[in-house]
Amino acid sequence: MAADGEERTSVRTYVPEYQKENWQSHADELDMSQSEFVRTMVQAGRSGFELPESDTGESSASAEETEPRSPGANPRGNGLKDRVVEALADGDHCDWDDLVAALTDDIEQRLDETLQELQSEGRVRYSGRHGGYVLDE
């Protein structure tokens, strides 16, 4: 039987279908259930956030002090460690650059897509004059 405060209950939310598919895909990559993935991402997003100050001006206890933490960011193991082992599984030697490339294979594509999206939203712009991207506020 679960200890006090350890009982499980459901939480329901509604997201666009594409977002659910993205979450499921990412959860599959991490060998996690979708519920486990969402719970982990919510807890990771809340890390370091403190409750607002009370009426007396004193800072309230952090969320971590007022409620138990969920398991770590990857309860089924170290995702990076698993990916390194997978990259080395063929038995060949892999130099540093090849290993970094294997672990970050889609980061350039994802970054390009994200920057395009942010630019189309008017949140980021590229300045040729300054040679880089900047928040467009």
Side-chain angles (χ1 to χ4, degrees):
M1 183 154 193
D4 285 338
E6 301 272 333
E7 295 85 15
R8 298 215 180 244
T9 186
S10 66
V11 174
R12 181 176 264 176
T13 187
Y14 295 89
V15 297
E17 187 173 337
Y18 76 89
Q19 188 172 41
K20 182 182 187 309
E21 291 169 359
N22 286 342
W23 288 354
Q24 185 60 59
S25 176
H26 198 177
D28 291 343
E29 288 174 20
L30 297 171
D31 192 30
M32 300 171 89
S33 70
Q34 191 166 28
S35 293
E36 185 177 26
F37 175 80
V38 171
R39 182 175 55 251
T40 299
M41 293 301 112
V42 168
Q43 285 303 111
R46 293 181 67 226
S47 293
F49 284 96
E50 294 198 2
L51 298 174
E53 290 186 7
S54 68
D55 291 337
T56 64
E58 295 178 15
S59 195
S60 300
S62 73
E64 292 175 6
E65 293 171 345
T66 59
E67 73 180 53
R69 289 182 56 95
S70 288
N74 189 354
R76 291 190 179 165
N78 182 326
L80 181 59
K81 195 181 293 184
D82 295 341
R83 291 179 64 198
V84 168
V85 169
E86 183 179 318
L88 298 173
D90 64 8
D92 290 338
H93 286 82
C94 194
D95 69 23
W96 179 263
D97 291 335
D98 290 338
L99 194 52
V100 168
L103 297 174
T104 60
D105 59 351
D106 68 341
I107 190 67
E108 287 184 29
Q109 178 66 30
R110 289 173 40 208
L111 176 59
D112 185 52
E113 291 168 0
T114 300
L115 284 170
Q116 287 179 21
E117 184 178 326
L118 289 168
Q119 287 177 17
S120 71
E121 294 170 0
R123 296 174 60 196
V124 168
R125 67 180 163 80
Y126 180 79
S127 170
R129 180 177 179 194
H130 295 99
Y133 295 90
V134 65
L135 286 178
D136 194 10
E137 301 184 63

